[in-house]
Amino acid sequence: MKRLMISLLLSPTVALAHHGVAGVGAAALEGPGAPVESASSAVLPVGKTLLYAKLDHAKFKTYDPDPANPESDYANYWMLGLGHGFTPWFSAYFFVPYHVKIDEPGGLDSKGWADVSVMGQIGFKYDGGLKLVPAHESLDDMEDWHFTVFFGSTLPTGNANHRLADGTIDPGKAHGFGKPALSLGVTATKQLTRDITFNLEASTIRFREYRYDDGQTMKFGTENRLNLGLAQRLHSHAEHRLRLDGVLEAQYLQLGRDIENGAPAEATGGRMLYLMPGLRLYKDNMSFAFGIKKAVWTRLNESADQQGAEGKEKYRLVFSASYLF
Amino acid sequence: MTRPFPLTLLRLAALLCLGAPTAFAHDLWIEKSGQQFTLYQGHRHSAHAGAETMDYGKNFVTAASCFDGRGGKRPLAATSPAPWKASGECAALLITASSGYWSKTPWETKNVPKPQAPGAIKSWRSSESIKRLERWAPPFANPLSEGLEIVPEADPFTLKPGDKLIVQVVLSGKPQANVPVAYHGETRGTTDPQGKIAIRLRHGGLQLISASLEQPLADGKADVEIMAATLQFELPQ
């Protein structure tokens, strides 16, 4: 048995208390918390499967009131995922995204299934030395530093040459990158107290140049992230198998400049810092997370011309749901 | 652009939901004054509420053994049955106890075997043991009895608060998997297939690590036997 001890039912019951029984009872919902959006150091229990769904709704600031110049209004990034714990320390995931990118009236919208992605995750812990996550950990073991290394790639299943209503190809609104995009990251997680968990993620995504059907080429800029998070248990109810955590994440994002037709593209790239307060609810073997993300500091390369880009959101709402079985 | 890899992973895997926290009914512990040991039952050292000490009756203790540093064993005679008291020079002390048979009916729970409780919906026999280590000796890395027992993997007296102690839960000398283990009444997890679990010591002074196991009983007097074992030792304050 690994970490999922949800289904354990211990023999002594409340009814037996103080009637000659000294049986060890139960812990409430214990263990480290998790951020809303950042990667954590939790690997899946061996043999267990995770179903995952996420919506990232980005509402953009608009600046031009002229209806003749429609701007980006909002985007919905849906994600479905499937994960499996193959060993106590290795999990693999498969994700299918669906993107909706909507302009103001008169603009060019885009909707469609995007590139699927696969990811592997290796879990470590520090307990008198660095070691792979063992098959069995007590709550006290879970208080140790835990780490993961994750790596993955998109697969060019989406239509990178999706043409908009006016017949053009906009790489930013395409349904795929055309070529695999590679991802690499590390996480570190420490349960600081019984109720507070610290989480760190550092990751990068690298894109490759792709030539579209209309002859243009695009290499999206590298995405580097450094995310810090704190999760605090606010409430738990053992009988209802319910736990509620408050989460605060700080997400630093560095976007490289896109390379368009072999030259650095204007109005792309920059650096920004998001803050995201949120909640994570655990119920039985399900988890639901919600967060509101807002850029609190930006240094975009050509900020005035980057409407509809990261860092230019009014807000982002992130919902996710997970089911482990 | 959004990241193509949603990496927020469910942390349910790290959660315990083992039932009700009040199920750990009471603790046993042994206090020492000079050469005299006294057995107590209650909640003085527990994470949960309850009377500080409880009367357990004069027939509660069924056996007591004193072990020397070489593992040699001798019976320890009680000088008082309730609370149980005895004197001696022991490197380790092991006491077994039982409050007998219990039967639960829709109306009440009685301290009688199942045949004496018409309409009983559940019945059990309670068996408990407590092992107090006075000092470390190599034989104590092995079981000292045939009952349910918690065995430290190494000398716990070298540890300090914040350190983890690996213990093994055994019955008849055999490792017991999936047994819940508590530290001062708070369940910290269940044993692995080798019967082992790591418990973090959170303070100095008295240390109480407990485990419980339920097994079917075929004596006709109860459905199951509920066994509980406690390991006790002390660290400097």
Side-chain angles (χ1 to χ4, degrees):
Chain A
M1 185 194 67
K2 182 150 169 26
R3 300 184 187 188
L4 184 74
M5 294 183 257
I6 293 293
S7 59
L8 277 180
L9 295 173
L10 301 191
S11 44
T13 64
V14 182
L16 305 181
H18 296 288
H19 291 293
V21 176
V24 170
L29 285 156
E30 298 275 355
V36 168
E37 191 177 36
S38 303
S40 82
S41 301
V43 286
L44 297 177
V46 62
K48 294 291 180 180
T49 298
L50 178 84
L51 287 179
Y52 175 92
K54 176 187 171 186
L55 169 62
D56 176 0
H57 171 78
K59 176 74 172 176
F60 296 105
K61 295 175 183 173
T62 54
Y63 303 92
D64 189 345
D66 185 354
N69 297 314
E71 299 176 291
S72 297
D73 185 9
Y74 69 90
N76 286 336
Y77 301 105
W78 293 89
M79 184 76 74
L80 297 174
L82 185 70
H84 188 75
F86 286 93
T87 75
W89 48 266
F90 178 75
S91 304
Y93 298 86
F94 178 74
F95 295 111
V96 182
Y98 183 84
H99 294 172
V100 176
K101 298 174 183 179
I102 304 297
D103 285 354
E104 291 177 316
L108 298 170
D109 299 343
S110 170
K111 299 179 184 178
W113 294 99
D115 288 346
V116 302
S117 59
V118 291
M119 190 185 86
Q121 179 198 39
I122 300 174
F124 302 89
K125 69 175 296 188
Y126 187 85
D127 187 8
L130 197 62
K131 56 185 75 170
L132 292 168
V133 172
H136 190 99
E137 288 189 293
S138 68
L139 286 174
D140 295 329
D141 288 320
M142 291 181 202
E143 293 176 351
D144 298 332
W145 276 102
H146 283 71
F147 310 93
T148 61
V149 173
F150 60 87
F151 46 89
S153 175
T154 63
L155 302 174
T157 58
N159 182 10
N161 293 290
H162 169 72
R163 292 187 181 267
L164 301 173
D166 64 354
T168 62
I169 296 174
D170 178 353
K173 290 182 177 177
H175 295 162
F177 303 118
K179 289 186 178 178
L182 302 178
S183 172
L184 178 66
V186 294
T187 67
T189 304
K190 177 79 171 78
Q191 194 174 348
L192 302 176
T193 69
R194 181 177 170 180
D195 292 331
I196 299 175
T197 302
F198 165 81
N199 192 80
L200 176 147
E201 175 202 347
S203 60
T204 185
I205 302 174
R206 306 292 174 100
F207 299 90
R208 296 167 66 190
E209 185 176 69
Y210 178 69
R211 180 176 296 277
Y212 294 82
D213 286 351
D214 61 2
Q216 67 172 313
T217 64
M218 173 65 78
K219 182 186 180 189
F220 289 107
T222 295
E223 298 184 9
N224 295 321
R225 283 179 167 79
L226 179 63
N227 299 338
L228 301 176
L230 283 175
Q232 169 148 16
R233 180 169 55 172
L234 301 175
H235 174 75
S236 61
H237 196 295
E239 284 182 38
H240 293 159
R241 295 182 177 184
L242 183 143
R243 168 174 160 174
L244 179 67
D245 286 5
V247 179
L248 180 63
E249 288 182 56
Q251 302 182 354
Y252 174 77
L253 172 60
Q254 180 186 57
L255 294 176
R257 192 179 287 280
D258 296 345
I259 305 297
E260 194 172 15
N261 298 318
E266 284 292 302
T268 61
R271 295 168 293 146
M272 63 218 72
L273 178 67
Y274 293 99
L275 281 184
M276 182 166 70
L279 295 169
R280 179 172 284 277
L281 177 74
Y282 301 93
K283 172 65 177 151
D284 295 328
N285 51 348
M286 294 176 290
S287 177
F288 305 91
F290 168 69
I292 303 174
K293 191 159 119 177
K294 199 161 175 62
V296 295
W297 175 87
T298 60
R299 289 291 182 275
L300 302 184
N301 289 338
E302 288 84 26
S303 180
D305 299 322
Q306 290 182 246
Q307 193 276 334
E310 276 106 332
K312 287 291 191 173
E313 307 95 335
K314 273 187 188 174
Y315 57 83
R316 289 179 90 123
L317 302 179
V318 177
F319 303 86
S320 73
S322 312
Y323 175 63
L324 191 66
F325 61 97
Chain B
M1 191 71 60
T2 184
R3 65 198 304 191
F5 304 90
L7 297 168
T8 304
L9 302 176
L10 184 64
R11 193 77 217 201
L12 267 179
L15 300 178
L16 276 177
C17 184
L18 301 178
T22 50
F24 193 89
H26 54 253
D27 294 322
L28 288 178
W29 73 95
I30 301 168
E31 292 188 3
K32 188 183 181 191
S33 177
Q35 290 294 304
Q36 180 174 272
F37 298 102
T38 305
L39 175 69
Y40 290 98
Q41 183 185 59
H43 303 87
R44 183 179 296 169
H45 305 287
S46 282
H48 45 269
E52 188 165 305
T53 59
M54 298 160 56
D55 180 18
Y56 47 71
K58 59 183 177 16
N59 298 320
F60 181 60
V61 173
T62 55
S65 302
C66 178
F67 295 83
D68 61 30
R70 295 183 305 278
K73 174 182 172 182
R74 64 179 176 84
L76 201 58
T79 56
S80 161
W84 182 93
K85 294 177 187 282
S87 295
E89 171 59 38
C90 308
L93 173 64
L94 179 69
I95 297 174
T96 57
S98 175
S99 59
Y101 292 92
W102 294 81
S103 297
K104 178 180 170 61
T105 70
W107 309 277
E108 60 183 339
T109 300
K110 298 166 70 175
N111 197 176
V112 296
K114 190 175 183 179
Q116 297 176 31
I121 53 177
K122 183 170 176 67
S123 59
W124 62 94
R125 182 179 186 276
S126 169
S127 301
E128 302 180 51
S129 72
I130 177 164
K131 178 171 66 178
R132 176 182 168 119
L133 299 182
E134 287 294 298
R135 62 180 183 271
W136 182 247
F140 301 159
N142 296 304
L144 300 179
S145 71
E146 284 297 297
L148 186 71
E149 190 176 339
I150 301 174
V151 181
E153 193 173 66
D155 182 357
F157 296 100
T158 62
L159 302 177
K160 58 187 185 302
D163 291 344
K164 286 191 292 187
L165 173 66
I166 297 175
V167 298
Q168 185 179 42
V169 177
V170 297
L171 178 63
S172 302
K174 297 191 175 101
Q176 299 297 303
N178 294 327
V179 175
V181 177
Y183 179 74
H184 285 266
E186 277 197 358
T187 304
R188 305 307 296 163
T190 57
T191 54
D192 68 11
Q194 289 75 46
K196 294 183 180 181
I197 185 172
I199 299 293
R200 193 179 304 276
L201 308 181
R202 308 220 164 238
H203 50 72
L206 182 75
Q207 309 292 321
L208 290 176
I209 300 171
S210 309
S212 71
L213 179 64
E214 180 177 311
Q215 289 200 330
L217 203 57
D219 66 354
K221 298 179 181 178
D223 302 324
V224 295
E225 180 172 26
I226 298 178
M227 296 171 277
T230 298
L231 171 67
Q232 177 186 340
F233 58 94
E234 293 197 31
L235 296 179
Q237 281 285 7

